[in-house]
Amino acid sequence: MVFNLKLKISALVVTFNRKDELIKTIKSLRFNGFQECDIFVINNNSNDGTQELIESIFPNLSLINLPENIASAGGFAKGLEISFKKGYDWCFLCNDDSRPKKGCLESMISALNSCSDHKLAFLKVANLNPNGEALLLKWKGIGVQYSIPISDKLIKTDLITFDGCMISSELITKIGYCDPEFFMGVYEYDYCLRAKDAGYSCYVLPNGLLEDGKLGSISGTPPWRQYYNTRNLLWLGINRKSFMIIKGWLIRELKYTYAIIFFGDRKLERLHFKFRAVRDALLNRRGRTYDPSKY
């Protein structure tokens, strides 16, 4: 895989009911060199006027309005499919509440050109912790966070998240898109593991050039979201026949269940969702089994 400054790169944003944040993200992408025609927004059936507002402000942008909410896993899968079929070499992914800072795209292209690993398939700009350090992930059956100082040093890793990440079309040719049946949560783990199985590499650029709004973390994790995290990780362990994943899942769930019982709100609802998550993983029930808008 040979990199050059003439790479054809698209940008992909998945959104739901955050039109004001989405506008900031699109403007940031344009400021970093993306043309409107190279930006794809997957609108997960927003009902806050997202479609009308975006079409009026950015008429040349590719806005894909879905008839139902297929969440982040489905949205990114749909966007990657569109980007790949249109012939882009790489696709830069970000959430609707995060945006690249000045120089982000240039730093990523420079990193691609300086990397000697011809199996590089993921390149992510690291998110930052509250202390301004770069956040990375390592794989121990679950994703475990650790922090390092900001730098321009390219770091090989075994796990990334999609926010602020570029994915190569060569990888898509080999393993396809991320699995929409996860709906939300764990699909990034699965995609990284599939890439590793195929011999591809993940790298992180810890330069701090990604702004992360973290709006999905405000007011804690809702019970329905815990359902998907619990179900999907257990399903992944079972599907891959991985003792390490199932062990990691069990340790995490014991900690979360303890926290729910002694410190959490809506205890019975959260525990009920946990029970249903385990049941559905064992029964191989996937996709959108519970609609977030109803909870």
Side-chain angles (χ1 to χ4, degrees):
M1 191 183 298
V2 178
F3 306 115
N4 58 68
L5 295 177
K6 295 183 179 180
L7 290 171
K8 189 178 180 182
I9 303 174
S10 65
L12 170 61
V13 187
V14 176
T15 190
F16 176 71
N17 281 357
R18 288 182 185 154
K19 58 184 180 183
D20 294 333
E21 293 295 319
L22 177 60
I23 290 172
K24 296 177 186 177
T25 298
I26 294 171
K27 288 181 177 178
S28 177
L29 289 169
R30 294 184 64 192
F31 183 70
N32 271 272
F34 287 101
Q35 302 299 311
E36 278 191 26
C37 60
D38 296 321
I39 301 173
F40 300 93
V41 173
I42 307 298
N43 177 21
N44 261 322
N45 198 29
S46 299
N47 55 19
D48 66 344
T50 290
Q51 178 178 348
E52 295 77 12
L53 184 61
I54 297 303
E55 288 176 345
S56 66
I57 299 176
F58 307 106
N60 297 317
L61 180 143
S62 298
L63 179 64
I64 297 89
N65 299 298
L66 302 179
E68 63 178 355
N69 186 352
I70 57 176
S72 52
F76 281 125
K78 182 67 174 179
L80 285 172
E81 178 184 7
I82 293 170
S83 175
F84 177 73
K85 289 182 177 179
K86 287 185 176 291
Y88 288 91
D89 301 304
W90 290 79
C91 184
F92 177 79
L93 287 63
C94 59
N95 296 330
D96 55 9
D97 62 339
S98 64
R99 49 204 63 97
K101 298 179 183 179
K102 182 179 179 181
C104 180
L105 182 60
E106 289 86 347
S107 72
M108 297 184 85
I109 292 175
S110 176
L112 290 176
N113 280 289
S114 66
C115 183
S116 60
D117 186 347
H118 297 300
K119 299 299 285 184
L120 189 162
F122 300 94
L123 176 60
K124 175 180 168 57
V125 175
N127 302 86
L128 301 182
N129 66 17
N131 296 323
E133 298 173 310
L135 280 174
L136 281 72
L137 288 171
K138 53 187 173 183
W139 180 242
K140 291 190 174 182
I142 58 173
V144 179
Q145 286 188 340
Y146 67 100
S147 302
I148 63 171
I150 289 177
S151 75
D152 292 318
K153 180 181 178 182
L154 198 59
I155 298 174
K156 189 173 184 178
T157 184
D158 52 7
L159 185 64
I160 52 89
T161 58
F162 281 3
D163 186 27
C165 175
M166 286 213 294
I167 295 178
S168 74
S169 59
E170 180 177 318
L171 177 66
I172 294 173
T173 299
K174 296 297 184 181
I175 71 170
Y177 316 112
C178 60
D179 187 348
E181 288 300 301
F182 282 98
F183 191 65
M184 62 169 54
V186 184
Y187 61 93
E188 295 149 313
Y189 294 1
D190 172 69
Y191 203 55
C192 288
L193 290 172
R194 286 163 52 198
K196 186 176 181 180
D197 291 342
Y200 287 89
S201 306
C202 301
Y203 283 83
V204 173
L205 188 60
N207 60 12
L209 294 182
L210 183 72
E211 178 184 344
D212 185 3
K214 298 185 183 297
L215 295 183
S217 301
I218 293 177
S219 301
T221 304
W224 62 263
R225 189 164 193 140
Q226 289 180 325
Y227 162 85
Y228 284 106
N229 291 334
T230 298
R231 183 199 72 177
N232 289 342
L233 188 57
L234 177 57
W235 181 90
L236 183 65
I238 294 171
N239 184 62
R240 294 184 70 88
K241 298 181 176 63
S242 171
F243 174 76
M244 182 175 71
I245 296 176
I246 294 174
K247 178 183 176 182
W249 173 87
L250 181 60
I251 293 172
R252 189 186 75 165
E253 290 304 316
L254 288 173
K255 290 179 179 178
Y256 283 176
T257 301
Y258 176 88
I260 289 171
I261 293 172
F262 291 99
F263 307 107
D265 62 342
R266 302 159 67 180
K267 300 180 191 297
L268 291 179
E269 183 182 6
R270 291 184 186 278
L271 291 173
H272 189 49
F273 267 111
K274 289 285 187 185
F275 169 79
R276 289 190 287 185
V278 174
R279 177 201 64 189
D280 289 351
L282 294 174
L283 294 176
N284 197 32
R285 290 178 180 167
R286 309 190 66 213
R288 189 180 70 170
T289 48
Y290 298 101
D291 186 350
S293 65
K294 297 180 180 179
Y295 296 94

